Short mmCIF file of all heavy atoms in Angstrom, two decimals:
data_model
loop_
_atom_site.label_atom_id
_atom_site.label_comp_id
_atom_site.label_asym_id
_atom_site.label_seq_id
_atom_site.Cartn_x
_atom_site.Cartn_y
_atom_site.Cartn_z
N PHE A 270 117.73 120.97 76.10
CA PHE A 270 116.46 120.57 76.67
C PHE A 270 115.30 120.79 75.72
O PHE A 270 114.42 120.01 75.55
CB PHE A 270 116.19 121.26 77.97
CG PHE A 270 115.31 120.57 78.89
CD1 PHE A 270 115.77 119.59 79.82
CD2 PHE A 270 113.90 120.73 78.80
CE1 PHE A 270 114.90 118.91 80.59
CE2 PHE A 270 113.05 120.02 79.60
CZ PHE A 270 113.54 119.06 80.49
N GLY A 271 115.39 121.93 75.03
CA GLY A 271 114.37 122.17 73.98
C GLY A 271 114.40 121.15 72.92
O GLY A 271 113.40 120.71 72.33
N HIS A 272 115.57 120.72 72.44
CA HIS A 272 115.75 119.67 71.49
C HIS A 272 115.19 118.30 71.97
O HIS A 272 114.49 117.65 71.23
CB HIS A 272 117.29 119.45 71.25
CG HIS A 272 117.64 118.45 70.19
ND1 HIS A 272 117.81 117.13 70.52
CD2 HIS A 272 117.82 118.45 68.89
CE1 HIS A 272 118.10 116.45 69.54
NE2 HIS A 272 118.15 117.21 68.45
N TYR A 273 115.35 118.07 73.27
CA TYR A 273 114.81 116.85 73.88
C TYR A 273 113.28 116.88 73.89
O TYR A 273 112.64 115.82 73.60
CB TYR A 273 115.28 116.77 75.31
CG TYR A 273 114.61 115.77 76.25
CD1 TYR A 273 114.63 114.39 75.93
CD2 TYR A 273 113.88 116.27 77.33
CE1 TYR A 273 113.93 113.51 76.78
CE2 TYR A 273 113.23 115.40 78.14
CZ TYR A 273 113.22 114.05 77.86
OH TYR A 273 112.57 113.14 78.74
N LEU A 274 112.69 118.02 74.23
CA LEU A 274 111.21 118.08 74.28
C LEU A 274 110.63 118.00 72.88
O LEU A 274 109.56 117.41 72.69
CB LEU A 274 110.78 119.34 74.96
CG LEU A 274 110.91 119.43 76.47
CD1 LEU A 274 110.52 120.77 77.05
CD2 LEU A 274 110.16 118.29 77.17
N GLU A 275 111.24 118.65 71.87
CA GLU A 275 110.77 118.59 70.56
C GLU A 275 110.90 117.17 69.96
O GLU A 275 110.00 116.65 69.29
CB GLU A 275 111.59 119.52 69.65
CG GLU A 275 111.03 119.61 68.21
CD GLU A 275 111.87 120.56 67.39
OE1 GLU A 275 112.83 121.17 67.87
OE2 GLU A 275 111.56 120.61 66.21
N LYS A 276 111.98 116.47 70.33
CA LYS A 276 112.08 115.06 69.90
C LYS A 276 111.05 114.25 70.57
O LYS A 276 110.43 113.36 69.93
CB LYS A 276 113.48 114.58 70.27
CG LYS A 276 113.77 113.09 69.89
CD LYS A 276 113.42 112.13 70.99
CE LYS A 276 114.23 112.33 72.19
NZ LYS A 276 113.90 111.32 73.27
N THR A 277 110.73 114.42 71.82
CA THR A 277 109.73 113.71 72.57
C THR A 277 108.31 113.85 71.89
O THR A 277 107.57 112.92 71.72
CB THR A 277 109.70 114.21 74.02
OG1 THR A 277 110.89 113.88 74.66
CG2 THR A 277 108.58 113.50 74.82
N PHE A 278 108.05 115.14 71.46
CA PHE A 278 106.76 115.38 70.83
C PHE A 278 106.74 114.63 69.49
O PHE A 278 105.71 113.92 69.27
CB PHE A 278 106.60 116.86 70.57
CG PHE A 278 105.45 117.13 69.56
CD1 PHE A 278 104.12 117.01 69.97
CD2 PHE A 278 105.80 117.54 68.27
CE1 PHE A 278 103.18 117.17 69.06
CE2 PHE A 278 104.73 117.71 67.40
CZ PHE A 278 103.44 117.60 67.75
N LYS A 279 107.75 114.72 68.67
CA LYS A 279 107.69 114.10 67.32
C LYS A 279 107.67 112.61 67.47
O LYS A 279 106.91 112.00 66.66
CB LYS A 279 108.87 114.58 66.51
CG LYS A 279 108.88 116.07 66.13
CD LYS A 279 109.98 116.45 65.25
CE LYS A 279 109.94 117.91 64.85
NZ LYS A 279 108.69 118.26 64.08
N LYS A 280 108.44 112.01 68.31
CA LYS A 280 108.55 110.55 68.35
C LYS A 280 107.34 109.87 69.04
O LYS A 280 106.94 108.77 68.68
CB LYS A 280 109.83 110.15 69.05
CG LYS A 280 111.03 110.06 68.18
CD LYS A 280 111.99 109.09 68.71
CE LYS A 280 111.56 107.67 68.57
NZ LYS A 280 112.44 106.65 68.92
N THR A 281 106.73 110.54 70.04
CA THR A 281 105.65 109.95 70.86
C THR A 281 104.34 110.68 70.77
O THR A 281 103.31 110.12 70.50
CB THR A 281 106.14 109.85 72.29
OG1 THR A 281 107.37 109.15 72.38
CG2 THR A 281 105.11 109.12 73.12
N ALA A 282 104.37 111.98 70.99
CA ALA A 282 103.10 112.71 71.20
C ALA A 282 102.43 113.06 69.91
O ALA A 282 101.19 113.19 69.90
CB ALA A 282 103.41 114.01 72.04
N SER A 283 103.13 113.29 68.83
CA SER A 283 102.52 113.68 67.59
C SER A 283 101.51 112.65 67.05
O SER A 283 100.38 113.09 66.64
CB SER A 283 103.61 113.92 66.47
OG SER A 283 103.01 114.25 65.26
N LEU A 284 101.78 111.37 67.11
CA LEU A 284 100.83 110.41 66.59
C LEU A 284 99.58 110.40 67.47
O LEU A 284 98.50 110.30 66.96
CB LEU A 284 101.57 109.06 66.65
CG LEU A 284 100.73 107.83 66.05
CD1 LEU A 284 100.32 108.09 64.66
CD2 LEU A 284 101.52 106.53 66.23
N ILE A 285 99.77 110.52 68.82
CA ILE A 285 98.57 110.49 69.67
C ILE A 285 97.76 111.85 69.37
O ILE A 285 96.52 111.74 69.34
CB ILE A 285 99.04 110.46 71.09
CG1 ILE A 285 99.81 109.18 71.42
CG2 ILE A 285 97.86 110.53 72.13
CD1 ILE A 285 100.35 109.05 72.76
N ALA A 286 98.40 112.96 69.36
CA ALA A 286 97.69 114.23 69.13
C ALA A 286 96.94 114.19 67.82
O ALA A 286 95.81 114.62 67.75
CB ALA A 286 98.76 115.34 69.21
#
Side-chain angles (χ1 to χ4, degrees):
F270 204 90
H272 181 270
Y273 163 68
L274 286 180
E275 185 180 357
K276 180 268 301 180
T277 298
F278 166 74
K279 289 185 181 299
K280 277 208 67 177
T281 304
S283 176
L284 183 59
I285 299 175

